[in-house]
Structure formats: C-alpha cells, structure tokens
Amino acid sequence: MSTVAHTKTKPGFHKTAETVEAGAKTLPQRYFVSPDVFAREQEEIFAKQWVLVGHQSQISKAGDYFVANVANESLIIVLDQKSTIRGFYNVCRHRGTRLREDRSGHASAIQCPYHAWTYALDGRLIGAPHMDEVPGFNKADYSLNAVNLALWEGFIYVNLAESPAPLEEWFAPLAGKFSHWNLPTLRSAKRIEYDVRANWKLLFENYSECYHCPGVHPMLSKVSPYDSAENDLTDGPFLGGFMRITKGNSLTMSGNSCALPVGDVSSEDFHRVFYYSIFPNMLLSMHPDYVMVHQLWPQSPDRTLIYCDWFFHPEAAGAGQPGETGITDPGYKFNPEDAIEFWDMTNKQDWHVCELSQQGIASRAYEPGPYSSRESIPAAWDREYLRQME
Amino acid sequence: MSTVAHTKTKPGFHKTAETVEAGAKTLPQRYFVSPDVFAREQEEIFAKQWVLVGHQSQISKAGDYFVANVANESLIIVLDQKSTIRGFYNVCRHRGTRLREDRSGHASAIQCPYHAWTYALDGRLIGAPHMDEVPGFNKADYSLNAVNLALWEGFIYVNLAESPAPLEEWFAPLAGKFSHWNLPTLRSAKRIEYDVRANWKLLFENYSECYHCPGVHPMLSKVSPYDSAENDLTDGPFLGGFMRITKGNSLTMSGNSCALPVGDVSSEDFHRVFYYSIFPNMLLSMHPDYVMVHQLWPQSPDRTLIYCDWFFHPEAAGAGQPGETGITDPGYKFNPEDAIEFWDMTNKQDWHVCELSQQGIASRAYEPGPYSSRESIPAAWDREYLRQME
Amino acid sequence: MSTVAHTKTKPGFHKTAETVEAGAKTLPQRYFVSPDVFAREQEEIFAKQWVLVGHQSQISKAGDYFVANVANESLIIVLDQKSTIRGFYNVCRHRGTRLREDRSGHASAIQCPYHAWTYALDGRLIGAPHMDEVPGFNKADYSLNAVNLALWEGFIYVNLAESPAPLEEWFAPLAGKFSHWNLPTLRSAKRIEYDVRANWKLLFENYSECYHCPGVHPMLSKVSPYDSAENDLTDGPFLGGFMRITKGNSLTMSGNSCALPVGDVSSEDFHRVFYYSIFPNMLLSMHPDYVMVHQLWPQSPDRTLIYCDWFFHPEAAGAGQPGETGITDPGYKFNPEDAIEFWDMTNKQDWHVCELSQQGIASRAYEPGPYSSRESIPAAWDREYLRQME
C-alpha cells in the first residue's frame, strides 16, 4: 500500500469548503416531482442541448449502428460507408414505422420491416416499391430525418434542436483539458444499466459531493478520504475536480491497478481520481487505470435510467493473467472486474440514498434545506440548471 | 396443387392500383397518440355506431349468455325464454354491482351476487328482498338497463346510442351481398385473443393492403400473390374485395381444404379469398372452407384487443379423420387447426409491424407519408374514418 | 351450543328497520370514480381529521417506532425517552431524505442514512456534521416536523392539520361508552393486510349493513342472523350497534370462545358482537373474546389498503393448549387462529362484492339506487360523509 505525500494543490484547484455560497439551499419540491417541470426539462434541455449518447468505439466498422433514446425519440447512430458517424430518427418516411428494433447491430442498408422501403447508411432513400407509379413522387424528398451529431473527445453527442450552436462552442471551456487522458482511443469493457427511482437532478447532486461518503460508502471512504476533494471547475455546466487515493493504487476491490494507465498521467495524478459532471447527462470519472462514464436518461420526475461504462486502454486486454507462462510482466494484470465490482457496489449505494431523497422530497413537509460547506458543487450545479431552465 | 386459370374479373371488381387517389397520405400523428382523439372515438364511434360483439351461435339455448365490453361498458348478451337475443348493462339497479363476472355461461335468471336482487332473462326485476318495506318502491321501475341490439347475417351488433338508426339502414348497401356464404348458420371452432400495442386504425390500414405481404408474410405471399387483389367496395364504411389463391385449395398450412365449403360458392370463388372491413370493428375474411372474423376493441391510443374467430360449416365436424374406418369419405378431412395455425402465424406477423408503426408514429420526426398505388383501400378507410369523426 | 334467550333491548338500541329515511339512495357515480373527488377527500378528510394509525401496544419501549402512511405522507410514530408517543414526518430537514425505510423497529435516535444528520426521539436535531461551518446555521431551527398525535382508548390517532380541534372534543360523544372493553390494555395477535380494488366508501357501506349477509356470508349468517342488528348510534361520525350470536359462543370457525374475555362484559353481551364505524378510517368489532379493528387507507378512487388486527386480552396467551399437563384449565384455550380464520374468510367475501360494486358503478348505466329498510346505517354514513365534504 502506498501513501501519498502531501502534494501541493495545482493552480486553479481549491478545497470545496472555500467556495460555498452563503445561504445556498436545495431546490424547491416542484423541481423533483412536477410532470410539468419534467416536460419542460425534456424540451428545454434534453431536446435542445448536446447530449451524450455513446462512444465512437461502439461503431468501428461501416454499417455498425446502435440505437439511442433521447427525449422520447429513438435515434439510429450509424457509421456510414465514408466512415462518417451519422444520426437518424428511427422512423420510416412512408408510414412512420420503427426501422430498427434491436439496440445495436450491423447492416449494409436500413430497410423498413413493413413495406421494405430501403435507405442507404447516409440516409438516402434508395428503394421504395411501386412508388414510381405515384405521380410526383421523388425519392430525394424522403431521406431519413437526420439529427445533429458531433464528437467530443471520442464521445458521440447529438442535439435535437433545428440549428444548435456548434458542439465546439459548447465545449470550448474544456478545450485541451482532457487531451492527456486519450479518451478517444479507449474502449468499454463493460456496461451496466441501472433503473433508479429518483429524479435525475438528485443523481447529479449526489455525484457532486462526498459529504455523504462516510455513511454511505464505507469502503470508498477508507481509501479516498471524503474531505480530500479539490475542485478546479466550480461554476457553469462543467463542474468538478479530483479526490485523493490514500490507500492502494486505484479504486478497485483489491486496491491494485487493474489495467494499463489510460492516459499520459503525471506522477501525482496516479493517486487522484478526477470527477467531472458534464451538463446535462454525463458523469466522467477518470482513474489512473480506467475511466468510468455515466449517461443519465430521465424517464419521469421520479425515474432515471443510467448507463455506466468502464473504459480501458485499448491494449490493456493484451496483458496476461497472473501465473500465465510466456507473458512478459506488464506491471499489472488486466482485471476489469476489480474496478467494475468496486463501482457497481458504490453506484448502488448512491442510487439507494437518491431514491430515499426522492421519497422524502415528495412530502408536504419538505422544504429546501441548507447545503453544508461540503456541498458547494451541488449548489453550483443547481445554479447552472436554473440558468438552463430560464 | 391446382393452378388457377386466368379468370375474368366480375363487373364491379377492379385492380387496387386503378383506384388510388393522387397525393393521399397517412393520417396526422394525433390520430394515433392523442388521448383526446381516443376519447372522442369511443364517444362518437364506439358508443354511437353499431358494433360487432359476437355471433348468434354463441348463445343457442334460452339462458345462454356472454359478456361483451363496448366503450368501457360491460354488457350481458343473453337469449331469453322467448328466444329473443337481448343486451343489458351488467349493472345492478340497487347499488350498482357488477352482475356477471364470468365471460359466458348459462343461467335461468340474473341474480346480483351482493344483495340477491333477481332479474328475469328479459330484464324485469322479479326479486328484491325487503324492498316491499320501502314506501313507493315499485319493481317495474328497476328493470335492467337495456341496450339496442340487432343481427346482421347472424352476427350480433349492439349500439349504445339512445335512438340509433336501424341496423338494416346501416347495412343496406350490403343487402344480399353475402347471402350465399350462409354466415348465420356457421359455428366458431376457435377463438384466439390478441393484445396488440398499436392503435386500432393501424390494424385496419394493415388489413386493407397487401403491399406489405412480400416482406411480412413469406408463406402467404407464396400461395396468394400480393398483387392479385381486386376490390369491389372502394369507398364508404365497407371496403374490400378478393385475392387469388394460386397454389393449393385454401389458406392453410398444408394448402388443402380443411372443411366442408361454408357457402354456395361458385367455382371461380374456390380460388379466391374475400376480405372486407366492416366499419368500425369487424374484419370479415371468407375462404372457400372457413370464415375468419376479427373483432377490434380499442383499449387506449396505443393498445387494441383483438378477438379472432374461425367459423366453419355447422356439419363440418362430422367428417372423420383420415384413416378412420367406417367413415364415408366426405372429400375433405375436418382439420380446423390447419387454417387456424396459418392465420395465427400471419396475424402475429401483422400485429408486429403495426406495433412498430405505433412506435415510430409517436416520434416528432413523423409526418404523414405518401400512400403507394397499392394502398388505395387504407386511404379510403382513412377517409371514411374522418367522415365519422366530423 | 348455547342458545340465546330473547333479551330485552337496552334503551337506545333499536332495530335498523325503524330508522330508515324515506327515499334514501346511494351516492352519485363521481364519488366513487373521480380523481378530483378523491384528491378532495384526501385533503379535506384524511389530511384534516383525526385518523387511526395504530395501537399503543405496538410501541411499548422507548425507541420503539412504526411508520404510518397518511394522505400520501410517511410518518414516524415513536415512543420517546420520556414515554411520550410522538409523530414526525419521515423527512430529513437537510436534503429531504426519507429517514426510516422499515415499517417498524427500535432505535435510540433517528439518523438520516444520507449525510448522517441525527435527531433525538423527541425530534430535536442533535448532530449535523460540518454545519457549524455554515454562518447563521442553528440546530434548533431544524427539528423534525411534528404531527399532531393523541390517544383514544389506547388507539393512536394523528391529525395533519395545523391546529386541529382536540381529539377529546371529537370523541366526546363516545366518552366512557367503551371503557368496560379495556381497549387500551389489549394486544394484537395478528395483522393481515388486504389490497382491495374498491373505493373506501364502499367498504364502509358494506360494513354497515347485513342485508348482504345471507348471500355473501353463509357461515356468518348461520350463527348470527342477518336481521338481528340493533343500533344505538344511528347518525353522525360514529355509527353502529350489536348483532346477536345465536349459535356457539363467539364468531370463530369452531363456534367456541378462543381467548379470555377481553372486557368486563355483562352476561347478555356474551352473545353479542358490537360493530361500530368510527369516521373516517376505523371499523371496531368487539366480540366477547376478541376485538377486530380495520384501518382503511384509500389509495385511489378504486383502490383501498386495509389493515386488519385481531386484539386479545393481554394475558390470554398464558392459557395452555388442550392436553398440556400442569396447566390449570382457564375455561378456554387460547386459539387466536380460530377467530382470525373466521374473519379472514368473511373479510374476503366482503371485499369481493365491494370490488364488483366498484366495477358496476363506473358504468354510464349506473344511477343512485334505492337503499332498503335494512340499509339505514349505510345511508347515515353517506350523510355524514357529505357533511364532511361540504
């Protein structure tokens, strides 16, 4: 077990307690229970902002696709013949039929299962039986409806708005910040889906503080002190910083590293975990040897689906198991389950207390409560959310 | 296997492609997803029109009854002591209790399970304990509430309106048209119920064209070409015509006839299947040796219950199984499963694509799409529906 | 089997038939199906009246608690260190988290599972980590929200109103009436929960008459004639009287007494069962050897949860089983299942007909029906309900 010397905080990082705003309180009840607020969030945020739907590594060959659900819309995300990633509404232009039912797959074209209208991977209608008998019908008028799509650090983002501001503009404040983590090259070894009976904002607020860690996460608290957070992003749509690993080399069940380092990590970062929330639906958790990414998908005021992926160095899987012969010791063994198990346990602890909050907040006795000095980031997240909803 | 000579089309029948209206498109989204539209349909169509609830063969002895659900109302359909078929709301006049819970049965009177108020089969209150102690109470004021009921070709229709136009008036355009099929004498050998996650109108539209058959129904398409439809009813509440059977003698798994001919069918009709939609809830499919009838029961904008019955000649069951001794060969064997299995498979193929349409039509990307030249009957059905909803 | 001599009716008791009001009818449909009426009932009755939540015997040691759900609110009912029973909203004052998830238990303090804020059993906030760093924060401002709570005959009642009239005032009409039943000393041997698909008012109406008994309860009717009811409370929020036991000694499967007498019961009361409805959610059924109490918890217009407890003399369990040696014969054997089984069967018969009423009342054919001369108490209950809803 290594211990960490008292590292000097980088410029820009500061202790949470210093940034708390006086008198900050939790959001009023309606934000967590009102179907009207929920509908407005879907319309104003999830149907207008850039939202995370996946990673480019999910569709690496032309014809690979997966289906994403954004603001009640089913979208086909596909790599076309020219290696461009495209997004389309999963709806036939003839009689509205859902085109793809499976969640992911490979196809050389997109054919409707009902009347066999056929679309190329770039969305052009290339087959429509008997439609040439219809006067005035022109295939070019019936391409699949496209959705705005762009990449950030290898992650696929879509935007349902008609003419959104470019993704680059939105992410400008983070330009270059994460380059050394090599996020575009990583590959997910595992996805777990969680169905949580809590409002999506409670999950962001939960992620944004470790004030709850001593009681909720006994194992995490032992290796990463709850009061070790230092944040460099403390206002706006991108929030967070790092916490220290004071026992072991990573957040795993064993305490050992479980894979090749993912990034070009400096030595002090080998004992840090970086936690950032990316408004409105991404949680980005960077460990020395793996990156965990949560996608949050609000389903109703009191229900959220969460996709959690564990990403590793693309060559990590090449490492042998301990005791195998003929394998040069890479200095670690590739054991993704060591990380996955740790966070699956920790995730569930979080979801549980968020569900308890959802229950209590629905009470007539609930009124906004005071954030502590350890909850400056949740308070900042709430401020950004209110700005977006204005 | 028989093959069909090129039969001359009867006067009145014409190829679907000839009747398509220029520019016809599918219905706007709200007709498939709006709870308001659904409520209006229930009120304006299902609670005001003549709707199919069953066949007279289901209640052949006095006291036989079955329960039907129309526009959220539970109705008792019963054959009374004078052999009149009657319909009553399934609601006690005392404290409103549901009278019959079972879906069908036999009873000499209708007795409430709560306080034992008892009604004759013609609806008169004949027993009400202790009510003679209530001043002014008169049994004659508390008969069961009756519902309008009439027969068409042996099928039982009800109408929840106060004073509807007579059934004969509604069905006048079809007078005599189906007499030679002997529909009143047939008997159902089987009912299958389907619970389909699609709007009821999608099911009518699906039934009304075979443009989808090549992709959706490989087996049907082999024996009855998708482009063989000739329609004689092309506008109004009754729509349809026939398609040819070009391989085998009927639509069965084996291709063989599976029962006595149901009607006095002319030789050319031995190789035709007649498909008619009877607004608002009947699909009538007449094969040489059996008649299939679908009842459609909308449950919500995106859910429909379907009852499918297979009717046969009343004496068909007298035929022996092949190889039985002492049975004179009737020229066929009674094998209803041969037809039921064929259509159960085909039905499920249809329901599935209708469910996919329901999903896609709910998208913001959906807009009415162009009907092809093979979809003139769905377009005509839509027109009639819109007339009914005006 | 004992038989009952023709006992003279006490002053105040009279036969149901004498008190029926001319022309009384059941309530209009909206009272049983409307979500708006249901919401108003929850607000005007269940959130403003004294409602039964339990019995003091459930929390006999300091720190014992149970959770009650009233008008969608979760409440913690707890015995504090000074042996005072208190009620609190089950909601942390920090971020609104549900404090206790279990339905009952024992705790020395109430600690929030999220950030470990801790409350004494009397509701005072006694621990809140890091909150001393928040300027102006004062623990005294963040006690648990209390709910009004009082006892009636050992039963725990709560009232969600701000400043309700005292419990004693509400129960003044019953002062002393039930003293000889020793209700505060009894203990529940069993609770059964029922989930009934019927409006809560149908359950009160059902409890308030035995006109339905001949058809619905064949076993009960054999030992307690349906026309033996004599009522002494015939108007207002408390209604009921007694019925005779004409075969056997109690309402049990065997007909035998199953426990020590619960009260100081006079000899004629040994062959009577007293049935009282206590507005708005209690049914109180007193047998010579046990007391059955139903709590009714409306969940929606067509759904009610029912908690049914069987209470016995606190020393009843000391009696031995028949055939045990060395036990002085107490004149009975303690056999609570003999009573529980009897009423569990009878309860289910009642719930079933109430569910059938709910179904029929939802019909457009339903209109208020005439109460018989045997239904004066349901009619009185309806009058009181309408008064409360005005």
Side-chain angles (χ1 to χ4, degrees):
Chain A
M1 297 285 177
S2 68
T3 54
V4 175
H6 197 75
T7 59
K8 190 171 176 308
T9 302
K10 280 189 198 160
F13 283 96
H14 34 165
K15 290 278 193 183
T16 299
E18 302 168 18
T19 67
V20 70
E21 294 207 344
K25 295 204 168 185
T26 59
L27 293 169
Q29 182 185 59
R30 67 178 178 281
Y31 288 102
F32 301 104
V33 304
S34 157
D36 290 344
V37 168
F38 183 82
R40 203 148 61 83
E41 288 171 351
Q42 289 291 300
E43 209 49 51
E44 297 300 317
I45 297 174
F46 284 84
K48 285 202 185 151
Q49 302 278 6
W50 289 100
V51 293
L52 172 67
V53 296
H55 187 271
Q56 62 186 16
S57 59
Q58 294 175 248
I59 42 174
S60 53
K61 292 193 302 292
D64 285 354
Y65 66 88
F66 66 89
V67 170
N69 290 291
V70 178
N72 262 329
E73 295 296 338
S74 177
L75 306 173
I76 301 175
I77 312 299
V78 61
L79 190 68
D80 77 8
Q81 302 291 4
K82 296 180 179 168
S83 293
T84 302
I85 298 179
R86 294 177 178 270
F88 301 108
Y89 286 89
N90 191 358
V91 177
C92 183
R93 295 295 305 276
H94 173 222
R95 276 165 62 180
T97 307
R98 174 73 73 244
L99 294 163
R100 299 299 325 182
E101 283 186 277
D102 43 6
R103 296 188 57 175
S104 64
H106 180 87
S108 57
I110 299 169
Q111 184 175 63
C112 180
Y114 202 164
H115 303 90
W117 284 31
T118 306
Y119 303 87
L121 297 177
D122 60 3
R124 285 175 300 115
L125 178 61
I126 53 175
H130 288 286
M131 292 305 291
D132 49 354
E133 301 158 14
V134 176
F137 179 81
N138 187 346
K139 281 202 193 80
D141 297 336
Y142 291 95
S143 295
L144 289 178
N145 284 300
V147 66
N148 306 292
L149 187 149
L151 295 178
W152 174 73
E153 296 287 357
F155 290 101
I156 304 169
Y157 275 75
V158 298
N159 191 316
L160 302 190
E162 289 278 313
S163 304
L167 180 87
E168 294 69 31
E169 202 170 285
W170 173 251
F171 276 113
L174 300 183
K177 183 176 176 71
F178 299 128
S179 309
H180 60 294
W181 288 98
N182 301 324
L183 298 173
T185 69
L186 305 184
R187 292 178 169 276
S188 172
K190 174 86 168 181
R191 171 175 288 189
I192 296 181
E193 298 185 14
Y194 303 95
D195 191 344
V196 185
R197 301 296 304 190
N199 188 279
W200 65 287
K201 297 184 291 295
L202 294 174
L203 301 167
F204 269 102
E205 290 157 2
N206 168 273
Y207 181 78
S208 302
E209 47 91 358
C210 212
Y211 182 36
H212 68 270
C213 294
V216 175
H217 306 303
M219 187 162 172
L220 173 63
S221 293
K222 256 184 231 161
V223 297
S224 184
Y226 82 100
D227 57 357
S228 68
E230 301 192 23
N231 297 307
D232 61 334
L233 296 178
T234 59
D235 197 60
F238 317 119
L239 294 166
F242 68 80
M243 291 185 67
R244 297 178 197 287
I245 303 170
T246 57
K247 278 181 75 173
N249 291 310
S250 185
L251 299 186
T252 54
M253 295 305 285
S254 68
N256 299 326
S257 292
C258 66
L260 264 178
V262 288
D264 307 319
V265 181
S266 67
S267 68
E268 70 184 7
D269 288 354
F270 265 108
H271 296 283
R272 291 174 175 172
V273 184
F274 291 82
Y275 300 99
Y276 291 99
S277 66
I278 310 292
F279 197 90
N281 78 325
M282 184 187 202
L283 305 177
L284 178 60
S285 305
M286 293 172 291
H287 307 69
D289 46 348
Y290 64 95
V291 171
M292 177 171 62
V293 175
H294 295 81
Q295 292 178 31
L296 273 66
W297 294 111
Q299 302 296 303
S300 70
D302 63 357
R303 183 169 164 237
T304 307
L305 288 182
I306 302 177
Y307 301 164
C308 185
D309 280 288
W310 285 262
F311 288 90
F312 294 86
H313 191 290
E315 287 159 24
Q321 295 302 310
E324 284 185 33
T325 55
I327 304 260
T328 309
D329 180 9
Y332 74 100
K333 64 186 183 225
F334 182 51
N335 185 11
E337 285 301 328
D338 205 11
I340 293 162
E341 190 183 333
F342 179 89
W343 271 112
D344 184 37
M345 171 189 72
T346 305
N347 281 337
K348 286 171 180 164
Q349 293 163 344
D350 279 326
W351 312 157
H352 182 61
V353 290
C354 289
E355 291 179 333
L356 293 177
S357 287
Q358 183 68 34
Q359 291 170 38
I361 288 170
S363 165
R364 72 186 69 201
Y366 171 78
E367 49 190 335
Y371 277 127
S372 75
S373 58
R374 299 283 160 183
E375 294 164 293
S376 64
I377 301 296
W381 192 89
D382 291 355
R383 288 196 304 275
E384 175 64 20
Y385 164 80
L386 291 172
R387 271 193 292 267
Q388 298 286 341
M389 287 285 280
E390 259 164 23
Chain B
M1 297 282 176
S2 67
T3 53
V4 175
H6 199 73
T7 57
K8 190 171 176 310
T9 303
K10 278 187 197 164
F13 282 96
H14 32 165
K15 289 277 189 182
T16 299
E18 303 166 18
T19 68
V20 70
E21 293 205 345
K25 293 202 170 189
T26 59
L27 293 168
Q29 182 184 60
R30 66 177 179 281
Y31 288 102
F32 300 105
V33 304
S34 157
D36 290 344
V37 168
F38 183 81
R40 203 149 59 84
E41 289 172 350
Q42 289 292 299
E43 211 47 53
E44 297 299 317
I45 297 174
F46 284 84
K48 284 200 183 151
Q49 302 278 6
W50 290 99
V51 293
L52 171 68
V53 295
H55 187 271
Q56 62 185 14
S57 60
Q58 293 177 248
I59 43 176
S60 53
K61 293 192 303 289
D64 285 353
Y65 65 88
F66 66 89
V67 170
N69 291 292
V70 178
N72 261 330
E73 295 295 339
S74 177
L75 307 173
I76 301 175
I77 312 298
V78 62
L79 190 68
D80 77 7
Q81 301 293 2
K82 295 181 177 167
S83 293
T84 303
I85 298 178
R86 292 174 178 275
F88 302 109
Y89 285 89
N90 190 359
V91 177
C92 183
R93 295 296 305 275
H94 174 222
R95 276 166 63 181
T97 308
R98 173 74 71 242
L99 294 163
R100 299 299 323 183
E101 283 187 276
D102 43 7
R103 297 190 54 176
S104 63
H106 180 88
S108 57
I110 299 167
Q111 185 174 64
C112 181
Y114 201 164
H115 301 91
W117 285 32
T118 306
Y119 304 87
L121 297 177
D122 61 4
R124 284 174 302 114
L125 179 62
I126 54 176
H130 289 286
M131 291 306 292
D132 51 353
E133 300 158 14
V134 176
F137 179 81
N138 186 345
K139 280 201 194 78
D141 298 336
Y142 291 94
S143 297
L144 290 178
N145 285 300
V147 66
N148 305 293
L149 186 149
L151 296 178
W152 174 73
E153 297 286 358
F155 290 101
I156 304 169
Y157 276 76
V158 299
N159 191 315
L160 301 189
E162 289 278 314
S163 305
L167 180 86
E168 294 70 28
E169 206 170 284
W170 173 251
F171 276 113
L174 299 182
K177 183 177 176 67
F178 299 128
S179 308
H180 60 292
W181 289 97
N182 301 324
L183 298 173
T185 70
L186 305 184
R187 291 178 169 277
S188 171
K190 176 83 165 185
R191 172 175 288 189
I192 296 182
E193 298 184 15
Y194 302 95
D195 192 343
V196 185
R197 301 298 302 190
N199 188 279
W200 65 287
K201 297 184 290 297
L202 293 175
L203 301 166
F204 268 102
E205 290 158 1
N206 168 271
Y207 180 77
S208 302
E209 47 90 358
C210 213
Y211 182 37
H212 68 269
C213 294
V216 175
H217 307 303
M219 186 161 172
L220 173 63
S221 293
K222 256 184 233 164
V223 297
S224 184
Y226 83 99
D227 57 358
S228 67
E230 301 192 23
N231 297 306
D232 60 334
L233 297 176
T234 59
D235 198 61
F238 316 119
L239 294 167
F242 68 80
M243 291 183 67
R244 298 178 195 287
I245 303 171
T246 56
K247 277 180 79 174
N249 291 310
S250 185
L251 299 187
T252 55
M253 295 306 282
S254 69
N256 300 325
S257 291
C258 67
L260 264 179
V262 289
D264 307 318
V265 180
S266 68
S267 67
E268 68 183 8
D269 288 354
F270 264 107
H271 295 285
R272 291 174 175 171
V273 185
F274 290 82
Y275 297 100
Y276 291 100
S277 67
I278 310 291
F279 198 90
N281 79 324
M282 184 187 204
L283 305 177
L284 177 60
S285 306
M286 293 174 289
H287 307 67
D289 47 347
Y290 66 95
V291 170
M292 176 170 65
V293 175
H294 294 82
Q295 294 179 31
L296 273 66
W297 294 111
Q299 303 295 303
S300 69
D302 64 357
R303 185 171 163 236
T304 307
L305 287 182
I306 301 177
Y307 301 164
C308 187
D309 279 288
W310 284 261
F311 287 92
F312 293 87
H313 191 290
E315 287 158 24
Q321 297 302 311
E324 282 186 34
T325 55
I327 303 258
T328 308
D329 179 8
Y332 74 100
K333 61 187 187 226
F334 183 52
N335 186 10
E337 285 301 329
D338 204 12
I340 293 162
E341 191 183 332
F342 179 89
W343 271 109
D344 184 37
M345 171 189 71
T346 306
N347 281 336
K348 286 171 179 164
Q349 292 164 342
D350 279 326
W351 312 156
H352 181 60
V353 288
C354 289
E355 292 180 335
L356 292 178
S357 287
Q358 183 68 36
Q359 289 171 39
I361 288 170
S363 165
R364 72 186 68 202
Y366 171 77
E367 49 190 336
Y371 276 127
S372 74
S373 57
R374 300 284 158 182
E375 293 167 293
S376 63
I377 302 295
W381 192 90
D382 290 355
R383 290 196 303 273
E384 175 65 19
Y385 164 79
L386 291 172
R387 273 193 291 267
Q388 299 286 341
M389 288 285 280
E390 260 166 21
Chain C
M1 296 283 178
S2 68
T3 52
V4 175
H6 197 75
T7 57
K8 190 171 176 310
T9 303
K10 279 187 197 163
F13 281 98
H14 34 164
K15 288 280 193 179
T16 299
E18 302 166 16
T19 67
V20 70
E21 292 205 345
K25 293 202 170 188
T26 59
L27 293 168
Q29 184 185 58
R30 67 179 177 278
Y31 288 102
F32 301 105
V33 304
S34 157
D36 289 344
V37 168
F38 183 81
R40 201 148 62 83
E41 288 172 351
Q42 289 292 298
E43 210 47 52
E44 296 299 317
I45 297 175
F46 284 84
K48 284 200 184 153
Q49 302 279 6
W50 290 98
V51 292
L52 171 68
V53 295
H55 186 270
Q56 61 185 15
S57 59
Q58 294 175 248
I59 43 175
S60 54
K61 295 192 302 291
D64 286 354
Y65 66 88
F66 67 89
V67 170
N69 290 291
V70 178
N72 262 330
E73 295 295 340
S74 176
L75 306 173
I76 300 174
I77 313 297
V78 62
L79 191 68
D80 78 8
Q81 303 291 2
K82 294 182 180 167
S83 293
T84 303
I85 299 178
R86 294 176 178 273
F88 302 108
Y89 285 89
N90 190 359
V91 177
C92 183
R93 294 297 304 276
H94 175 221
R95 275 168 60 182
T97 308
R98 174 74 72 243
L99 294 162
R100 300 299 323 183
E101 282 187 277
D102 45 5
R103 297 190 55 175
S104 64
H106 180 89
S108 58
I110 299 168
Q111 185 174 63
C112 180
Y114 201 165
H115 303 90
W117 284 31
T118 307
Y119 304 87
L121 297 177
D122 61 4
R124 284 175 300 113
L125 178 61
I126 53 177
H130 289 285
M131 291 306 293
D132 51 354
E133 302 158 12
V134 176
F137 179 81
N138 187 345
K139 280 201 193 79
D141 298 334
Y142 291 94
S143 298
L144 289 178
N145 285 300
V147 66
N148 305 293
L149 186 150
L151 295 178
W152 174 73
E153 296 286 358
F155 291 99
I156 304 169
Y157 275 75
V158 300
N159 190 316
L160 301 190
E162 289 278 314
S163 306
L167 181 87
E168 295 70 30
E169 205 171 282
W170 172 252
F171 277 113
L174 300 181
K177 183 176 176 70
F178 299 128
S179 308
H180 60 293
W181 288 96
N182 301 324
L183 298 173
T185 69
L186 304 186
R187 291 177 170 276
S188 172
K190 174 84 167 185
R191 172 175 288 189
I192 296 181
E193 298 184 14
Y194 302 95
D195 192 342
V196 186
R197 300 296 304 190
N199 189 278
W200 65 288
K201 296 184 291 295
L202 293 176
L203 301 166
F204 268 103
E205 290 158 359
N206 168 272
Y207 181 78
S208 302
E209 46 91 1
C210 212
Y211 182 36
H212 68 270
C213 294
V216 176
H217 307 303
M219 187 162 172
L220 174 62
S221 293
K222 258 184 229 162
V223 298
S224 185
Y226 83 99
D227 57 358
S228 69
E230 300 190 23
N231 297 307
D232 62 333
L233 296 176
T234 59
D235 197 60
F238 316 120
L239 295 166
F242 68 81
M243 290 183 68
R244 297 178 197 287
I245 302 171
T246 57
K247 276 181 77 173
N249 290 310
S250 185
L251 298 186
T252 54
M253 294 307 282
S254 69
N256 300 325
S257 292
C258 67
L260 264 178
V262 288
D264 309 316
V265 181
S266 69
S267 67
E268 67 182 8
D269 287 352
F270 264 108
H271 296 282
R272 290 173 175 171
V273 185
F274 290 82
Y275 298 100
Y276 291 99
S277 68
I278 311 291
F279 198 90
N281 77 325
M282 183 188 205
L283 305 177
L284 178 59
S285 306
M286 293 173 288
H287 308 67
D289 47 345
Y290 67 96
V291 171
M292 177 171 64
V293 174
H294 295 80
Q295 294 178 29
L296 272 66
W297 294 111
Q299 301 298 302
S300 69
D302 63 356
R303 186 170 161 234
T304 307
L305 287 182
I306 301 177
Y307 300 164
C308 184
D309 279 289
W310 284 262
F311 287 92
F312 294 87
H313 191 290
E315 289 160 21
Q321 296 301 311
E324 284 187 32
T325 55
I327 304 263
T328 309
D329 178 9
Y332 73 101
K333 62 186 185 227
F334 182 52
N335 185 12
E337 285 300 329
D338 205 11
I340 293 161
E341 190 183 333
F342 179 89
W343 271 110
D344 184 37
M345 171 189 70
T346 305
N347 281 338
K348 286 171 179 165
Q349 293 164 343
D350 279 327
W351 312 156
H352 181 60
V353 289
C354 290
E355 291 180 333
L356 292 179
S357 287
Q358 183 69 33
Q359 290 171 39
I361 288 170
S363 166
R364 72 185 70 200
Y366 171 79
E367 49 191 335
Y371 277 128
S372 75
S373 58
R374 299 284 158 181
E375 295 166 290
S376 63
I377 301 296
W381 192 90
D382 290 354
R383 288 195 304 274
E384 177 64 20
Y385 163 80
L386 291 173
R387 272 193 292 267
Q388 299 286 340
M389 286 285 280
E390 258 164 24

